[in-house]
Amino acid sequence: MSARLPAPCPPRWWLLLSLLLLGAAPGPRRGAAFYLPGLAPVNFCEEEKKTDECKAEIELFVNRLDSVESVLPYEYTAFDFCQASEGKRPSENLGQVLFGERIEPSPYKFTFKKEETCKLVCTKTYHTEKAEDKQKLEFLKKSMLLNYQHHWIVDNMPVTWCYEVEDSQRFCNPGFPIGCYITDKGHAKDACVINSEFHERDTFYIFNHVDIKIYYHVVETGSMGARLVAAKLEPKSFKHTHIDKPDCSGPPMDISNKASGEIKVAYTYSINFEEEKNIRWASRWDYILESMPHTHIQWFSIMNSLVIVLFLSGMVAMIMLRTLHKDIARYNQMDSTEDAQEEFGWKLVHGDIFRPPRKGMLLSVFLGSGTQILIMTFVTLFFACLGFLSPANRGALMTCAVVLWVLLGTPAGYVAARFYKSFGGEKWKTNVLLTSFLCPGIVFADFFIMNLILWGEGSSAAIPFGTLVAILALWFCISVPLTFIGAYFGFKKNAIEHPVRTNQIPRQIPEQSFYTKPLPGIIMGGILPFGCIFIQLFFILNSIWSHQMYYMFGFLFLVFIILVITCSEATILLCYFHLCAEDYHWQWRSFLTSGFTAVYFLIYAIHYFFSKLQITGTASTILYFGYTMIMVLIFFLFTGTIGFFACFWFVTKIYSVVKVD
């Protein structure tokens, strides 16, 4: 798979920058193109010309159905639609299973360049007196009421429904609704606004016909045939006059809430093919991504973040180069005992600065898990920027993240053991067991409870029992042993050598002003890092809960780097102010200062739920907040670890260059 990037008549440097920032995404408009690793094009030709290298049959696959008003996706087979009589179900990777994707063969069969008009697929009959039929019909109505969407796939591309939105912009949705509803007050909900014939009150209109258009590009060189470059459809509703020989005319297919007796729904389709000379296979995702939110908002986010980073960098540079330089020079010139007695500021606490913190066991465990998440995030985003994890490679992002997390047990065990030993801890067995099971166990317990709710609701997002066993096997058989190996090497090494000795008797901390107390500092510390990410966070939440494609991994990688720098600099700044106030309890405070960004993440997620989403139902609400809590915990460990390491480096650095008698 390849991508072209947004740059009309661009200079070379702009192409290179865009290539980095849009990363794996098949990018909008014309520019440079590169092939996505692991995906090869398929050639198609007419029935009479087909060979081993050129197929005539075009398979249409159906994916799970989802809704922005419900967190519960359902398999295609859960609905009473036309089913495929035969066909091989594509194998799904771990990421697809975890995201609830269920790709299945469909009853819609096409032959390249063979056009069909109003072809009957199947007819569904419902008798309202029969309990089973009534249940199927009620489920269909409820799905239309919640605006559930079909997701069809042709040649690994989403079949899109393109329509105009505000300002005459064209939006291409990689899905289309089952149907829509006119309320008892005559208000048209969702897709019912597209047709003025949808006007009957308290009535459902089902989209039982689709006009499909497949665009292809003839291959000029190499093997003969053509490649599919786009698949678009338009959903329609027809109450077919002659169901056995439909002609796709007449009024729309309505199902009144008061309807009784026999109801027949005939599903039909029309298909035609059109040659598209201007779009090549390399950039066939362009038209979908072009219609999504443009990159100028992303640039605003990046510029906003960079301003914050420059501000913090200036502050840290001023402290490091001016204030600290003067402090160190003055401290090192004090030769007499009288001068030493007049010490003030951060040098006063040199005998307590590396005193082991309270709950050192828990802090070391958090640092181990945080290191695991930090490396996993970095490597995953790096692979995404290289093009391996684009939307075309379904489920690859989640699969990559899970596999990396499992394999990174060794650095988690090593970091936890190393710091626990430096804190003076001796219960190494407890430490390694907590590192292996505490944070992953909390995440798995939350995930399992959410899965029980999904099982109870019959959702396709429920993880099958076999996959659950496989995840546990990865955890217990690979991650845990690797954590033990890392912990073994961590405890085997000598404790971290500190530049100054720790006094036996702890120094009394003077009365602190409001601004140098721990809580205000922690609350202030999370604001700036959150300010760097909140715009990017909006797009990520949209991709998760509003089912929009996320493809700008280059921007995300850049924001990740900015977040690391901002967390580090904000924590160092606050750490310096607290040390100057003679408060030497920096370990937990540095972790919580950066980690408090996760609290702002949680507040934003709550605001997003109430202001942006239309989710209804108790189960969907519980699922939203259950999965959000997993994300918040991971983000807390990730940012907290960054803050601790930055502060640890800062404290070690400043106390190693000052003379202490």
Side-chain angles (χ1 to χ4, degrees):
M1 177 69 193
S2 68
R4 292 195 299 187
L5 304 167
C9 303
R12 190 174 297 275
W13 68 268
W14 175 251
L15 277 178
L16 292 171
L17 183 61
S18 297
L19 183 65
L20 169 69
L21 290 176
L22 288 180
R29 298 200 182 104
R30 289 168 173 65
F34 67 101
Y35 282 97
L36 177 72
L39 293 174
V42 179
N43 293 334
F44 293 91
C45 53
E46 292 92 330
E47 181 76 37
E48 59 274 10
K49 296 179 183 177
K50 72 175 183 179
T51 62
D52 291 339
E53 295 179 356
C54 190
K55 294 170 62 178
E57 300 80 21
I58 299 174
E59 290 183 275
L60 188 147
F61 291 97
V62 289
N63 204 341
R64 54 105 184 256
L65 286 86
D66 54 36
S67 165
V68 293
E69 296 181 35
S70 173
V71 179
L72 303 166
Y74 290 99
E75 290 187 46
Y76 182 84
T77 51
F79 297 85
D80 192 35
F81 298 134
C82 303
Q83 306 293 331
S85 55
E86 57 182 16
K88 188 180 177 184
R89 182 171 179 165
S91 58
E92 290 155 347
N93 58 41
L94 180 62
Q96 287 176 289
V97 175
L98 292 176
F99 269 125
E101 287 198 20
R102 301 291 183 269
I103 299 173
E104 299 172 7
S106 81
Y108 297 83
K109 306 294 180 187
F110 313 134
T111 304
F112 184 67
K113 281 195 176 180
K114 185 182 178 183
E115 301 195 347
E116 302 278 2
T117 303
C118 204
K119 184 169 182 180
L120 180 67
V121 183
C122 74
T123 304
K124 294 289 179 180
T125 306
Y126 305 98
H127 295 275
T128 53
E129 292 81 13
K130 291 183 180 178
E132 188 182 350
D133 285 2
K134 190 176 180 181
Q135 188 179 358
K136 289 177 182 176
L137 200 58
E138 287 301 318
F139 187 60
L140 207 57
K141 287 179 182 177
K142 185 183 176 184
S143 303
M144 286 189 273
L145 194 63
L146 292 172
N147 195 28
Y148 269 81
Q149 308 261 323
H150 286 278
H151 294 282
W152 291 1
I153 301 162
V154 167
D155 191 31
N156 199 41
M157 277 201 71
V159 182
T160 56
W161 176 33
C162 298
Y163 51 88
E164 286 194 356
V165 290
E166 306 100 27
D167 304 326
S168 299
Q169 290 184 337
R170 199 160 178 78
F171 177 70
C172 289
N173 184 9
F176 67 96
I178 298 173
C180 59
Y181 177 60
I182 302 290
T183 65
D184 51 5
K185 293 181 180 178
H187 174 65
K189 278 197 72 184
D190 303 314
C192 275
V193 297
I194 67 172
N195 194 335
S196 58
E197 291 186 46
F198 299 166
H199 54 75
E200 292 291 333
R201 297 187 175 200
D202 197 20
T203 301
F204 293 90
Y205 289 92
I206 189 165
F207 292 119
N208 60 333
H209 174 84
V210 284
D211 284 335
I212 304 171
K213 182 175 277 192
I214 293 180
Y215 298 84
Y216 63 91
H217 179 90
V218 177
V219 182
E220 294 95 348
T221 57
S223 58
M224 296 295 290
R227 292 170 182 172
L228 308 188
V229 293
K232 298 180 183 180
L233 63 70
E234 188 179 348
K236 291 182 179 178
S237 180
F238 293 114
K239 186 181 280 185
H240 299 289
T241 314
H242 305 288
I243 287 181
D244 296 333
K245 292 183 179 178
D247 57 356
C248 292
S249 62
M253 181 66 220
D254 59 330
I255 304 173
S256 174
N257 254 336
K258 297 167 186 171
S260 59
E262 188 180 75
I263 299 169
K264 285 191 175 184
V265 181
Y267 290 91
T268 56
Y269 73 91
S270 299
I271 182 166
N272 58 67
F273 294 83
E274 186 177 313
E275 185 177 356
E276 177 57 76
K277 295 181 179 179
N278 298 322
I279 302 175
R280 295 182 179 273
W281 188 88
S283 53
R284 62 182 189 159
W285 285 71
D286 286 9
Y287 80 97
I288 304 171
L289 304 176
E290 266 185 336
S291 71
M292 293 189 174
H294 289 298
T295 56
H296 70 274
I297 301 173
Q298 303 277 340
W299 281 114
F300 171 75
S301 166
I302 299 294
M303 296 312 295
N304 170 56
S305 304
L306 285 173
V307 167
I308 293 172
V309 167
L310 288 171
F311 166 74
L312 282 174
S313 299
M315 292 284 286
V316 171
M318 186 177 71
I319 287 173
M320 298 289 280
L321 298 175
R322 295 186 63 190
T323 315
L324 269 175
H325 185 72
K326 286 179 182 175
D327 286 350
I328 291 165
R330 187 168 70 252
Y331 291 155
N332 289 342
Q333 285 169 4
M334 290 179 180
D335 296 323
S336 66
T337 311
E338 289 131 5
D339 287 338
Q341 287 173 352
E342 294 174 11
E343 286 179 1
F344 64 92
W346 54 269
K347 192 190 174 185
L348 270 178
V349 294
H350 65 79
D352 299 275
I353 193 68
F354 291 107
R355 189 173 298 284
R358 294 175 185 173
K359 309 288 183 186
M361 171 82 81
L362 186 62
L363 180 58
S364 64
V365 168
F366 281 176
L367 289 172
S369 296
T371 304
Q372 193 175 9
I373 294 163
L374 180 62
I375 301 170
M376 177 197 78
T377 308
F378 176 81
V379 177
T380 302
L381 290 177
F382 181 74
F383 277 129
C385 287
L386 290 180
F388 288 97
L389 312 178
S390 82
N393 204 352
R394 300 170 191 280
L397 187 73
M398 180 60 86
T399 305
C400 178
V402 171
V403 170
L404 281 171
W405 179 84
V406 168
L407 297 176
L408 288 167
T410 304
Y414 180 82
V415 168
R418 198 97 168 82
F419 276 99
Y420 180 62
K421 190 172 183 180
S422 75
F423 294 156
E426 295 176 354
K427 298 178 181 176
W428 66 270
K429 292 178 184 175
T430 309
N431 180 261
V432 71
L433 285 171
L434 284 174
T435 307
S436 300
F437 296 108
L438 180 63
C439 297
I442 293 169
V443 171
F444 185 81
D446 188 330
F447 181 75
F448 185 72
I449 292 166
M450 297 302 106
N451 209 47
L452 287 177
I453 295 170
L454 290 166
W455 267 335
E457 296 288 334
S459 171
S460 72
I463 309 302
F465 182 73
T467 308
L468 217 53
V469 171
I471 292 169
L472 285 172
L474 287 172
W475 179 15
F476 286 105
C477 301
I478 300 176
S479 181
V480 172
L482 288 175
T483 308
F484 272 77
I485 291 168
Y488 170 77
F489 286 109
F491 278 113
K492 198 175 179 184
K493 288 200 76 170
N494 294 328
I496 298 168
E497 287 188 21
H498 301 307
V500 288
R501 289 196 305 272
T502 302
N503 296 336
Q504 289 185 349
I505 302 169
R507 181 186 179 85
Q508 189 174 356
I509 297 170
E511 185 68 27
Q512 299 291 305
S513 66
F514 175 77
Y515 296 104
T516 54
K517 284 181 180 175
L519 192 58
I522 289 168
I523 292 170
M524 286 189 294
I527 293 173
L528 289 174
F530 179 75
C532 292
I533 62 160
F534 82 96
I535 295 176
Q536 197 67 228
L537 197 59
F538 172 77
F539 289 102
I540 293 169
L541 291 176
N542 265 358
S543 70
I544 296 170
W545 303 113
S546 296
H547 313 296
Q548 293 182 12
M549 287 185 190
Y550 188 89
Y551 65 96
M552 287 188 254
F553 293 108
F555 279 113
L556 189 58
F557 188 70
L558 193 56
V559 169
F560 167 78
I561 300 298
I562 290 170
L563 177 65
V564 171
I565 296 168
T566 312
C567 284
S568 304
E569 292 180 342
T571 311
I572 287 171
L573 264 176
L574 289 164
C575 182
Y576 174 75
F577 293 143
H578 284 104
L579 291 179
C580 287
E582 300 175 26
D583 184 352
Y584 51 82
H585 295 307
W586 62 272
Q587 290 100 330
W588 268 112
R589 194 170 52 235
S590 63
F591 189 92
L592 294 173
T593 298
S594 282
F596 204 80
T597 311
V599 177
Y600 292 109
F601 178 177
L602 177 61
I603 294 166
Y604 183 79
I606 294 168
H607 163 74
Y608 180 83
F609 178 81
F610 288 107
S611 65
K612 304 292 181 186
L613 296 180
Q614 304 160 340
I615 288 175
T616 55
T618 308
S620 291
T621 305
I622 293 170
L623 286 165
Y624 175 86
F625 286 104
Y627 286 127
T628 298
M629 291 312 295
I630 292 175
M631 290 189 279
V632 167
L633 174 62
I634 290 170
F635 197 69
F636 169 71
L637 295 171
F638 161 70
T639 50
T641 302
I642 295 167
F644 177 88
F645 282 138
C647 207
F648 179 76
W649 170 84
F650 172 73
V651 168
T652 306
K653 200 76 178 168
I654 64 172
Y655 283 97
S656 63
V657 293
V658 70
K659 290 179 185 175
V660 177
D661 295 329

